[in-house]
């Protein structure tokens, strides 16, 4: 569905608009991150992801699974940052009042401030780095619990921005020179970002339980994360399909 919406967005921009903008490029990066995360996470299932940790007998394969999983999650998280930034830039095209622009920019800046550190944590915290993927490697790692708590906070804030960005089109679009039916249709469709917020909350609730038996319990987390990103791509493409 995300692929269909982004293709339609680019088609409409080429056919009816003056060209592509920076928000189109950022959204394309978000979609590329979505594909990369899904592919890498699916590859990790060949090495043990999706099964219980005690069912994995080849710990060398588990290290490979962790590498694919962590890189995939990295792309999934920054993809959310890219997609929501693109949506914010799209809304800025419609913003006319100063408080509109301040609120939208606040959402864009804070979502990047929280998402990028979450993504980077997959590659820091252990000396040597190889211990991050393979626990049998000699070395030390920092406590992961504070990192997970920060990730939960970032996920909740991501959900809050989804709700804000889903409600905002009603303030921006309602006074435009459009037919009433079109205004209602655009606002309702752009508000599907509420689903993204719901998925972000479900994803955040899955973070702490996934610490134990993570190869099995992380799978709902990965699915909801990809779904959240897909919904944001769809919502940010809808305004151009009018």
């Amino acid at each position: 569905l995300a692929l269909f919406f982004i293709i339609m967005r680019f088609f409409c921009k080429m056919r009816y608009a003056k060209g592509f903008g920076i928000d189109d490029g950022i959204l394309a990066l978000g979609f590329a991150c979505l594909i990369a995360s899904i592919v890498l996470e699916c590859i990790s299932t060949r090495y043990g992801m999706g099964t219980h940790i005690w069912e994995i007998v080849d710990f060398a394969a588990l290290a490979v699974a962790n590498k694919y999983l962590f890189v995939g999650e990295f792309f999934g998280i920054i993809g959310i940052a890219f997609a929501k930034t693109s949506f914010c830039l799209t809304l800025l095209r419609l913003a006319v009042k100063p408080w509109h622009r301040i609120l939208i920019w606040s959402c864009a800046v804070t979502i990047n401030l929280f998402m990028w550190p979450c993504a980077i944590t997959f590659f820091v915290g252990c000396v040597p780095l190889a211990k991050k993927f393979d626990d049998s490697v000699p070395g030390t790692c920092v406590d992961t619990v504070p990192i997970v708590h920060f990730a939960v906070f970032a996920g909740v804030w991501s959900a809050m921005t989804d709700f804000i960005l889903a409600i905002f089109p009603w303030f921006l679009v309602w006074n435009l020179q459009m037919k009433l039916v079109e205004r209602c249709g655009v606002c309702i469709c752009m508000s599907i970002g509420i689903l993204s917020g719901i998925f972000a909350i479900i994803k955040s609730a899955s973070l702490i339980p996934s610490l134990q038996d993570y190869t099995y319990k992380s799978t709902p987390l990965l699915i909801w994360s990809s779904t959240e990103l897909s919904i944001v791509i769809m919502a940010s493409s809808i305004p151009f399909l009018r």
Side-chain angles (χ1 to χ4, degrees), residues 29-196:
L29 286 175
F31 183 77
C33 288
L34 171 64
I35 297 300
S37 66
I38 291 173
V39 169
L40 291 167
E41 288 159 7
C42 287
I43 292 174
S44 72
T45 64
R46 299 181 61 185
Y47 297 94
M49 275 302 299
T51 59
H52 292 287
I53 188 72
W54 57 81
E55 294 177 339
I56 300 174
V57 294
D58 186 358
F59 286 96
L62 180 60
V64 176
N66 287 336
K67 288 181 182 179
Y68 283 115
L69 173 65
F70 292 169
V71 177
E73 288 188 293
F74 170 83
F75 281 117
I77 293 173
I78 65 170
I80 290 173
F82 281 138
K84 292 187 180 181
T85 301
S86 174
F87 194 29
C88 288
L89 293 177
T90 298
L91 292 178
L92 283 172
R93 297 170 181 263
L94 307 174
V96 291
K97 297 181 180 180
W99 74 270
H100 290 173
R101 303 184 68 85
I102 291 172
L103 184 58
I104 294 171
W105 272 115
S106 297
C107 289
V109 170
T110 54
I111 201 67
N112 281 279
L113 282 176
F114 295 146
M115 286 299 173
W116 279 92
C118 282
I120 293 172
T121 56
F122 287 109
F123 306 104
V124 296
C126 287
V127 180
L129 179 60
K131 188 172 178 60
K132 190 78 174 181
F133 313 113
D134 187 354
D135 195 51
S136 64
V137 173
T140 58
C141 291
V142 299
D143 186 8
T144 59
V145 173
I147 296 174
V148 173
H149 286 164
F150 175 75
V152 172
F153 166 76
V156 172
W157 179 251
S158 176
M160 291 298 298
T161 59
D162 284 326
F163 295 136
I164 293 171
L165 297 177
I167 295 171
F168 220 68
W170 292 89
F171 295 96
L172 301 180
V173 176
W174 198 252
N175 294 322
L176 296 180
Q177 297 297 319
M178 297 167 60
K179 295 179 181 179
L180 178 61
V181 174
E182 286 188 349
R183 286 203 300 267
C184 291
V186 169
C187 288
I188 291 172
C189 290
M190 291 178 70
S191 295
I192 67 169
I194 289 176
L195 293 176
S196 177

